[in-house]
């Protein structure tokens, strides 16, 4: 079964998030695991109003601190669980750009695994690395720090070439396939899946699904019909 993940980033207000849910509730599907990751504030809208039980809620981040305590501004995994959150996107390049370190990402991964939330760990290269480095080099540069984590439970890896995000351009499909296969060998953990993110849309979804376990979708997930259209492509691959 394919996994289709929506990353709404900071692109929805109450009205657009509620309108999305109303529209999305008209669609029915199964044999696809659909995850919607709204902002922290909009998680309760999905928790309360999404009707299709195939739709799971994800967070776009999670605190590296596991326990309740004096950590102003943080939202920990135990709080996310209370609102039905089952997945958490971790280490997205936009957060790494804001200063998130490998150490932070290790702690966040351990925190969500501890709570039973499935991490969606993002990795990907900049354009200059894409042009100058081998696939093996990129994988060991970006994922090497994970050797410190003792994996337990399911882990999802999202290969997201940074230069592809929001650009409308994706790498050659053979390149993506070799990146995913190399990462799979490198991680070598049975309970892992590898999805692709970066400018996913209706026109490229089918070929991307043929070489991956699913998709991480930004812009094309903001409109309920467009997102549903991609889900139907994933259903064909069930
Ligand atoms: P995009 O974003 O689909 O708009 O390129 C993907 C992401 O950043 O997760």
């Amino acid at each position: 079964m394919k996994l289709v993940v929506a990353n709404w980033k900071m692109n929805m207000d109450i009205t657009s998030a509620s309108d999305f849910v109303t529209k999305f509730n008209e669609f029915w599907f199964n044999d696809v695991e659909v995850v919607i990751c709204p902002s922290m504030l909009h998680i309760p809208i999905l928790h309360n109003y999404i009707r299709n039980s195939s739709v799971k809620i994800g967070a776009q981040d999670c605190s590296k601190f596991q326990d309740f305590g004096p950590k102003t501004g943080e939202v920990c995994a135990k709080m996310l669980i209370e609102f039905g959150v089952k997945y958490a996107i971790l280490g997205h390049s936009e957060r790494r750009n804001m200063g998130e370190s490998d150490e932070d990402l290790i702690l966040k991964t351990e925190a969500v695994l501890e709570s039973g939330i499935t991490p969606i760990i993002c990795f990907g290269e900049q354009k200059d690395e894409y042009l100058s480095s081998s696939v093996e080099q990129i994988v060991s540069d970006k994922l090497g720090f994970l050797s410190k984590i003792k994996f337990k439970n399911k882990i999802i890896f999202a290969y997201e070439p940074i230069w592809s995000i929001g650009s409308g351009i994706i790498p050659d499909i053979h390149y993506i396939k070799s990146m995913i296969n190399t990462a799979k060998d490198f991680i070598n953990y049975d309970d892992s899946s590898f999805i692709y993110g970066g400018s996913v849309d209706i026109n490229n979804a089918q070929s991307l699904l043929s070489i991956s376990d699913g998709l991480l979708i930004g812009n094309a997930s903001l409109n309920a019909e467009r997102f549903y259209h991609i889900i139907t492509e994933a259903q064909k691959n069930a």
Side-chain angles (χ1 to χ4, degrees):
M1 188 156 71
K2 299 290 181 183
L3 177 69
V4 177
V5 185
N7 178 8
W8 283 358
K9 310 191 180 186
M10 205 170 67
N11 285 322
M12 291 279 205
D13 58 15
I14 293 183
T15 309
S16 48
S18 307
D19 287 352
F20 180 105
V21 171
T22 307
K23 186 85 216 154
F24 202 63
N25 278 338
E26 292 170 14
F27 304 134
W28 203 254
F29 46 85
N30 46 27
D31 295 331
V32 184
E33 175 91 336
V34 173
V35 181
I36 301 179
C37 305
S39 75
M40 295 291 186
L41 278 176
H42 297 139
I43 286 172
I45 299 180
L46 267 79
H47 185 52
N48 293 334
Y49 300 113
I50 280 282
R51 277 200 236 112
N52 189 328
S53 58
S54 307
V55 180
K56 304 287 186 292
I57 305 169
Q60 296 175 19
D61 190 26
C62 175
S63 176
K64 63 184 176 186
F65 302 108
Q66 292 193 20
D67 290 318
F68 293 104
K71 308 281 185 255
T72 302
E74 292 290 293
V75 177
C76 67
K78 286 177 184 163
M79 294 168 167
L80 294 174
I81 288 276
E82 290 184 312
F83 283 89
V85 169
K86 299 270 190 278
Y87 291 85
I89 297 173
L90 298 179
H92 190 284
S93 59
E94 288 155 14
R95 297 212 57 82
R96 300 286 252 170
N97 263 343
M98 294 173 213
E100 189 173 275
S101 66
D102 288 351
E103 278 312 310
D104 292 334
L105 190 45
I106 290 170
L107 291 172
K108 289 178 179 195
T109 304
E110 286 171 348
V112 303
L113 284 173
E114 205 54 52
S115 303
I117 292 174
T118 303
I120 302 173
I121 299 176
C122 301
F123 71 99
E125 77 286 13
Q126 298 281 3
K127 186 71 181 243
D128 58 329
E129 296 171 296
Y130 166 72
L131 294 173
S132 63
S133 304
S134 67
V135 166
E136 289 76 13
Q137 188 62 51
I138 291 170
V139 164
S140 71
D141 282 357
K142 307 294 170 189
L143 294 177
F145 71 98
L146 289 174
S147 60
K148 293 185 191 145
I149 299 181
K150 292 262 167 300
F151 290 140
K152 43 184 171 183
N153 307 333
K154 188 160 182 65
I155 307 254
I156 315 274
F157 292 93
Y159 168 50
E160 290 209 306
I162 298 165
W163 54 275
S164 170
I165 295 172
S167 70
I169 304 166
I170 66 165
D172 181 83
I173 206 80
H174 301 291
Y175 179 85
I176 299 173
K177 188 175 176 184
S178 106
M179 185 67 80
I180 287 178
N181 288 341
T182 306
K184 244 181 220 169
D185 289 346
F186 186 83
I187 294 294
N188 192 21
Y189 177 62
D190 285 345
D191 210 0
S192 61
S193 302
F194 289 77
I195 64 176
Y196 171 84
S199 294
V200 175
D201 212 337
I202 298 162
N203 59 325
N204 57 28
Q206 197 50 246
S207 57
L208 291 166
L209 285 160
S210 71
I211 49 124
S212 69
D213 298 316
L215 305 168
L216 176 55
I217 310 168
N219 281 333
S221 73
L222 299 175
N223 173 284
E225 278 103 343
R226 194 168 163 198
F227 185 51
Y228 174 65
H229 199 130
I230 299 175
I231 292 168
T232 59
E233 292 298 320
Q235 244 175 331
K236 293 179 197 162
N237 278 269

